[in-house]
Amino acid sequence: MLIDRYLIREVTVPFVLTAVALLGIFATFSVSRYLAEAVDGLIPPMAIGQLTALRALIAMEVLLPLAFYLATLMALSRLHADFEITALRASGMGEGRFLWPLLRLAALLCALIGLLSWLVRPWAYAEIYRIEHDAASAMALDRIRAGQFYQANSRSADGAQESSRAVFIETLDRTRTALTGVFVRTRTVGADGQTTIELVTAPRGVLTPYVAPDAHRLLLEQAQVQRVTAPSREATVIGQFQRFDMQLDVPMRGNNGLKLKALPGPALGRTVLDIEQPDQALQRAEQQWRIAAPLVPLVLTLLALPLARSRPRQSRFARVVIAALLYAGYYNLIGLGRSAVEQGTLPSLLPIVLAPLLAVPLLTVLRNRRPER
């Protein structure tokens, strides 16, 4: 219908412009942040653009509903101010009639937000974690110096055996991969309390960093391996090897546990159902936000309808400040509700997300009681 297309166009144009402006502001802020980190050497300069784009993808989950909310408010405010709503009513078209095109747009946006929340945002977080881990790994490798001992501790999965490993490098080249004068001491304590010390020495070696997220590969030439077992303290020469390949465990940086934000929707659902997983409240809060996020555009659209009602010849931007304050309060309330779900004091986030719908009838009544001039 012609009226439907007209209303859709009136909302779509400011929605696109507002979304582009908000994403531009957010991208500028992200670039300045990552530039500061690049100057400090925390991330490589080449990663600034990629990290900014990934952060923008994540922010779209919040910025797009805000853009549609403001676009709906501005479009309807203009229609009220220019007597177009009055003309539509005079032709027999009720307010509910031109609500349907907006609801169709809101439904499409809800589907897009659902896609972002369940698939795109987890992928973006996984890429950010990978880039940050690679940057931290490279920075840690740059800190390796010749003539110093480096030690790492580890424990078996069942906790029955723990070990510590000390590495000494006499010299290394500029690439920090070609080594000379290598000494590796591994001390292992078994479940029975028996201590075993293994000594590996080699005149030369090649280090391949981070062949796994938590391990380096050390390839030694003409290596000699000895083993000492307590309490006998007798050294046993295991042998001499032309090439000796070993793995050096390194501590993971950051949170080694479950990164909930990087889990796709199906994987997150499985963790929520697994009662043996730790931090069940955190997982439930993350899942409930992903369920609630697609509903936000619809809630904001219904909230914008009574807010947009204004007197003829009144500025179309008259309600934007009030609407922005309500939006800020709404998202702060959602943040508090999510924290309460994470702490286990609130069973569900959905009542808070849908709470503004209770104010819609009240705002509608108050606006209808005010006569238009």
Side-chain angles (χ1 to χ4, degrees):
M1 187 177 176
L2 182 61
I3 296 297
D4 291 352
R5 291 196 298 270
Y6 175 69
L7 293 173
I8 290 174
R9 185 176 68 252
E10 286 294 305
V11 174
T12 302
V13 173
F15 166 64
V16 173
L17 295 177
T18 306
V20 170
L22 292 175
L23 286 172
I25 295 172
F26 181 85
T28 302
F29 171 78
S30 298
V31 167
S32 62
R33 168 194 168 187
Y34 287 124
L35 278 174
E37 294 186 4
V39 170
D40 294 335
L42 300 178
I43 60 172
M46 297 297 294
I48 294 176
Q50 187 176 2
L51 287 171
T52 300
L54 292 171
R55 285 291 179 184
L57 278 177
I58 295 171
M60 286 174 65
E61 183 184 45
V62 175
L63 296 182
L64 290 183
L66 172 59
F68 190 76
Y69 171 58
L70 295 177
T72 302
L73 184 70
M74 289 187 292
L76 293 182
S77 295
R78 190 197 69 78
L79 293 177
H80 277 286
D82 293 347
F83 294 97
E84 295 187 33
I85 296 297
T86 303
L88 291 174
R89 287 176 176 171
S91 64
M93 182 176 295
E95 191 168 356
R97 173 62 186 82
F98 53 84
L99 176 63
W100 288 112
L102 301 181
L103 290 181
R104 291 202 297 270
L105 283 178
L108 290 176
L109 185 58
C110 289
L112 177 60
I113 297 301
L115 180 64
L116 289 172
S117 181
W118 284 90
L119 296 177
V120 177
R121 187 169 70 100
W123 171 82
Y125 268 116
E127 288 297 303
I128 289 175
Y129 292 148
R130 179 187 61 80
I131 294 172
E132 291 178 346
H133 175 267
D134 291 346
S137 301
M139 185 172 61
L141 193 63
D142 290 340
R143 292 175 178 172
I144 295 178
R145 297 289 184 268
Q148 297 182 8
F149 279 93
Y150 295 89
Q151 185 166 334
N153 301 319
S154 62
R155 183 182 293 271
S156 61
D158 56 5
Q161 177 176 299
E162 61 178 303
S163 63
S164 63
R165 174 168 284 167
V167 180
F168 179 86
I169 301 169
E170 186 176 352
T171 64
L172 67 163
D173 68 350
R174 292 184 178 180
T175 63
R176 303 185 182 278
T177 57
L179 321 173
T180 61
V182 182
F183 170 85
V184 181
R185 188 221 66 184
T186 304
R187 181 177 181 270
T188 304
V189 179
D192 56 357
Q194 185 176 7
T195 302
T196 301
I197 298 177
E198 184 179 85
L199 304 175
V200 180
T201 58
R204 291 180 302 277
V206 176
L207 177 66
T208 304
Y210 292 96
V211 293
D214 58 349
H216 301 318
R217 179 191 179 193
L218 183 58
L219 180 61
L220 302 176
E221 299 179 6
Q222 300 177 3
Q224 179 174 303
V225 182
Q226 301 182 57
R227 180 171 294 169
V228 180
T229 303
S232 64
R233 299 293 181 181
E234 295 182 0
T236 302
V237 177
I238 297 177
Q240 293 183 343
F241 303 89
Q242 185 68 24
R243 296 170 64 87
F244 187 79
D245 197 349
M246 61 187 307
Q247 179 173 291
L248 301 179
D249 295 332
V250 293
M252 292 285 289
R253 290 159 182 79
N255 180 15
N256 298 335
L258 189 65
K259 293 184 180 293
L260 297 178
K261 293 181 179 180
L263 284 179
L268 179 62
R270 288 192 294 269
T271 61
V272 171
L273 295 177
D274 186 0
I275 60 175
E276 296 182 358
Q277 286 282 353
D279 300 328
Q280 279 286 307
L282 295 177
Q283 299 168 26
R284 186 167 60 252
E286 176 68 19
Q287 185 188 48
Q288 289 189 13
W289 166 245
R290 296 192 192 184
I291 294 174
L295 301 177
V296 172
L298 182 61
V299 173
L300 291 177
T301 301
L302 295 175
L303 184 62
L305 293 176
L307 289 175
R309 191 175 177 84
S310 60
R311 294 185 299 273
R313 293 179 299 277
Q314 187 177 10
S315 171
R316 72 183 70 179
F317 303 105
R319 306 295 176 185
V320 172
V321 175
I322 297 176
L325 292 176
L326 289 176
Y327 173 86
Y330 177 48
Y331 262 91
N332 285 331
L333 185 63
I334 290 177
L336 292 175
R338 185 170 177 175
S339 298
V341 175
E342 291 175 351
Q343 296 170 6
T345 58
L346 188 68
S348 176
L349 186 61
L350 286 176
I352 293 180
V353 173
L354 300 177
L357 294 180
L358 300 177
V360 172
L362 178 61
L363 289 174
T364 302
V365 171
L366 292 177
R367 294 297 181 191
N368 288 336
R369 289 180 61 183
R370 178 183 298 177
E372 295 187 359
R373 299 177 184 175

